[in-house]
Amino acid sequence: MLNIYDNDKMERKIKVVEKIMGILNVLASGEKREYSVGEISKILNLKVSTTYSLLSTLYNLGYLEKDEKSKKYRIGEKLLSLFLPLLERNILLKVSESVIKSLAENIKESVVLGIFYKGERYTIATAKYEGHILNVNLNMFEESACYTTATGRILLSYLPEKDVKDYVKKEGYPGEKWKNINNYDALKKEMEKIRKRKIEIIEKENTVVIGVPIFGPDGKIVASLGVYLPEIRFKGENKEKIIRELKKAGEEITLKLGGEYE
């Protein structure tokens, strides 16, 4: 059990965290880009000495930057790098939600949205038909392999070469998972084909999975949009419609993100 002294220590730590979060909130959402010690102290009603101490600690840890002339503080790149992936994911989901739902309703098949994050492929959104009811899930983060999924192959094909080699170093070559690829030259050729087609289709075990790329404003891939369905439904006019509508949806999300689809 915690004694009274432990409770006091915990309360002090909580108060320090609250003060730090208050400072970060001012710097991140305030009207100005930079704030002085005095300005932050006044806004948060904190002692100047306390404010200075907390700002100095955050600065020394690299989370804040300081203008040496004005002595004002601003959010640092290290702190931004911690929250940027989450921010980018939220923007992607917000932009994609209506498109994913519309695509699923149009083709009456399940849709997935995948990203490549810290060396792995993750599903971050799905729209699935279950008993003729469309269920959209935007609150997920499920890992799956790049080699065996169409969206994974798409993501891998557009990554910088270093990231691809890092993935291969960790996972090995796909082998029977992907056209018996057992060396980098063979993998490189398949990725080049995917980039040229801007689509990947895998037909295996009575199931078809399809993926297309989604690009950001800098021209780099940010996600891959995919569809999966029983092979029996991937024929004739319906096959053409699914491919057409998936490509159209991928392009629409790209344009909404400020990217271009060549």
Side-chain angles (χ1 to χ4, degrees), residues 84-102 111-115 122-127 136-142 214 222-225 252-254 256-257:
L84 192 57
L86 179 60
L87 177 62
E88 290 176 341
R89 175 172 172 263
N90 288 341
I91 292 172
L92 176 62
L93 287 172
K94 186 174 182 179
V95 166
S96 304
E97 181 178 4
S98 62
V99 181
I100 291 172
K101 185 177 180 181
S102 177
V111 178
V112 298
L113 183 66
I115 62 170
Y122 290 92
T123 297
I124 62 170
T126 60
V136 180
N137 186 352
L138 302 176
N139 187 27
M140 62 188 306
F141 202 68
E142 295 181 358
I214 294 171
V222 295
S224 179
L225 186 65
E252 184 177 350
I253 296 173
T254 292
K256 284 188 173 184
L257 289 171

Side-chain angles (χ1 to χ4, degrees), residues 53-64:
S53 178
L54 293 174
L55 285 169
S56 296
T57 299
L58 291 169
Y59 171 72
N60 290 331
L61 289 172
Y63 295 123
L64 299 183

Side-chain angles (χ1 to χ4, degrees), residues 166-217:
D166 286 344
Y167 187 82
V168 170
K169 184 177 181 180
K170 181 176 63 174
E171 300 292 336
Y173 289 105
E176 62 181 15
K177 296 176 183 177
W178 186 5
K179 295 187 177 180
N180 294 313
I181 296 173
N182 288 304
N183 60 74
Y184 192 75
D185 285 340
L187 178 61
K188 188 176 180 180
K189 286 180 181 179
E190 285 303 317
M191 293 191 299
E192 286 173 351
K193 290 177 183 178
I194 288 175
R195 290 196 300 272
K196 187 175 181 179
R197 296 192 304 262
K198 286 190 174 63
I199 190 171
E200 174 66 347
I201 302 174
I202 303 174
E203 300 182 48
K204 189 177 181 180
E205 299 176 355
N206 301 317
T207 301
V208 177
V209 290
I210 318 161
V212 296
I214 294 171
F215 303 102

Side-chain angles (χ1 to χ4, degrees), residues 7 21 39 59 66 106 109 111 125 149 156 161 186 190 243:
N7 284 331
M21 294 308 296
E39 288 172 329
Y59 171 72
K66 182 172 67 173
N106 191 8
E109 302 293 354
V111 178
T149 61
L156 197 66
E161 188 171 35
E190 285 303 317
I243 292 174

